[in-house]
Amino acid sequence: MSNTISALPGATYEGAVRVQEMGLCGMISLRGDHGDEKLISAIKDIMGTVMPGQREIVHQDERAAAWMSPDELLLLLPYADVRDALTRLETALAGTHFLAVNVSDARAVFRLHGGSAREVIAKLCPVDMSPGAFGPGQIRRTRMAQIPAAFWMPDEDSVHVVCFRSVAQYAFDLLKQSAHPQAGVGLYA
Amino acid sequence: MMILTCPCCGVTGEETEFHQGGEAHLTRFGPGSSETEFHDYLFSKENPKGVHLERWRHAYGCGKWFIAARNTVTLEVYGTYAAQTTEPPQDIKDTLSAKVPGWSWREFA
């Protein structure tokens, strides 16, 4: 068995916020009809969450289900549990039109933690990050400088960013630059 | 810079989050059509100065296609609607009629 590693193992940066590559994260891309009873109950059984509404992310312990598009969900779970979850999904959804793929190794996940996490994102993405417009419980897919990315806020001081693994170094460099201690603008202070 | 609202995921984002995809409401002429029809389908595109109905894709977001009614001169966006339509919905037509009296676009007015 080969030794699986994440895109930038152990990469961290202490600036205005702490930027940290989160290591191996389990992720399943699940496509299907969000209104389908079988899909809703499979999410409930396997993830322990309700079906997320439009642009929502629902957390349950170490797992979460996120709304990616009208026919796509992103399931977040511990890396070691992906294979089992996929098997259970395939059993539960047999006979319905769906697609479930393990994308854990195709992605990189970063965690920003600190009071100015909103500002670090706001400098890179064309998204209104003010507390009234975006907050915990929501997920936003957007453009981060030149790459596609998605992010959500597990709590008021943290942002998790997911991007393609092939651009992990670029994303980390961007986040470092945006989180530079001298680069604060105090937008949401 | 245009601000578009994706009808598929509800995000209101700026132009760079989307990608333009050419003229909307095309009727496809494929095998069995005349050469003139096929030529016009491929090459005779609307290129108006003013109201335009255009396909857009939420490329950095939900990835879905939709249609935007916008102005090619002022860059005003009159509205966006689902791609699964063969003509603009009545509320888009009403908005256009209110803002651009006498507008027309192909067979729609």
Side-chain angles (χ1 to χ4, degrees):
Chain A
M1 183 73 189
S2 53
N3 179 26
T4 48
I5 56 169
S6 62
L8 307 169
T12 53
Y13 175 77
E14 297 284 352
V17 299
R18 180 181 168 85
V19 182
Q20 183 182 10
E21 202 255 13
M22 286 182 64
L24 295 170
C25 299
M27 267 176 272
I28 295 171
S29 178
L30 177 63
R31 279 183 180 264
D33 178 358
H34 289 195
D36 184 38
E37 288 299 328
K38 274 172 109 173
L39 189 72
I40 294 170
S41 65
I43 297 295
K44 184 77 198 160
D45 289 348
I46 297 160
M47 304 303 292
T49 70
V50 294
M51 178 67 85
Q54 191 180 57
R55 301 199 310 283
E56 284 178 3
I57 178 165
V58 193
H59 297 271
Q60 180 64 48
D61 302 325
E62 287 183 301
R63 302 187 172 207
W67 191 96
M68 294 294 271
S69 82
D71 59 1
E72 184 183 355
L73 296 171
L74 183 67
L75 308 181
L76 304 154
L77 65 170
Y79 189 83
D81 297 350
V82 171
R83 190 169 294 203
D84 174 57
L86 267 181
T87 314
R88 290 176 63 192
L89 272 175
E90 275 161 19
T91 313
L93 297 175
T96 53
H97 185 64
F98 79 102
L99 175 81
V101 180
N102 178 1
V103 293
S104 312
D105 297 312
R107 307 279 167 86
V109 188
F110 297 93
R111 177 170 188 260
L112 313 181
H113 184 73
S116 51
R118 285 179 181 274
E119 184 181 295
V120 171
I121 294 294
K123 281 191 271 184
L124 299 170
C125 303
V127 177
D128 182 356
M129 288 302 288
S130 57
F134 188 85
Q138 287 174 280
I139 181 167
R140 180 67 149 82
R141 296 176 74 179
T142 186
R143 175 180 64 81
M144 190 164 80
Q146 298 186 38
I147 56 170
F151 54 81
W152 60 94
M153 297 181 74
D155 57 70
E156 197 49 51
D157 285 336
S158 307
V159 181
H160 286 190
V161 180
V162 56
C163 66
F164 289 117
R165 184 187 181 115
S166 56
V167 291
Q169 186 66 56
Y170 176 85
F172 185 57
D173 292 346
L174 277 180
L175 292 167
K176 276 198 296 187
Q177 190 179 35
S178 184
H180 192 282
Q182 304 292 306
V185 290
L187 189 56
Y188 305 118
Chain B
M1 179 70 75
M2 289 186 293
I3 307 285
L4 295 158
T5 299
C6 173
C8 302
C9 69
V11 160
T12 298
E14 48 92 18
E15 190 180 327
T16 63
E17 202 170 300
F18 300 86
H19 201 282
Q20 192 257 37
E23 182 182 333
H25 302 303
L26 286 181
T27 304
R28 184 174 185 274
F29 289 97
S33 61
S34 72
E35 283 189 6
T36 313
E37 284 171 337
F38 188 58
H39 171 275
D40 288 351
Y41 158 66
L42 273 186
F43 302 115
S44 302
K45 297 294 162 67
E46 285 292 293
N47 186 20
K49 192 173 170 184
V51 173
H52 196 24
L53 306 181
E54 217 169 34
R55 301 171 74 224
W56 282 78
R57 180 171 178 256
H58 196 182
Y60 284 94
C62 67
K64 300 297 180 195
W65 287 93
F66 61 92
I67 298 173
R70 63 142 185 150
N71 193 302
T72 57
V73 178
T74 63
L75 298 188
E76 180 177 2
V77 178
Y78 301 109
T80 55
Y81 53 97
Q84 292 74 23
T85 49
T86 51
E87 64 173 295
Q90 194 56 46
D91 61 315
I92 296 284
K93 287 184 180 174
D94 291 345
T95 307
L96 284 169
S97 300
K99 296 199 168 181
V100 192
W103 73 280
S104 71
W105 189 88
R106 288 211 186 253
E107 68 269 35
F108 310 124

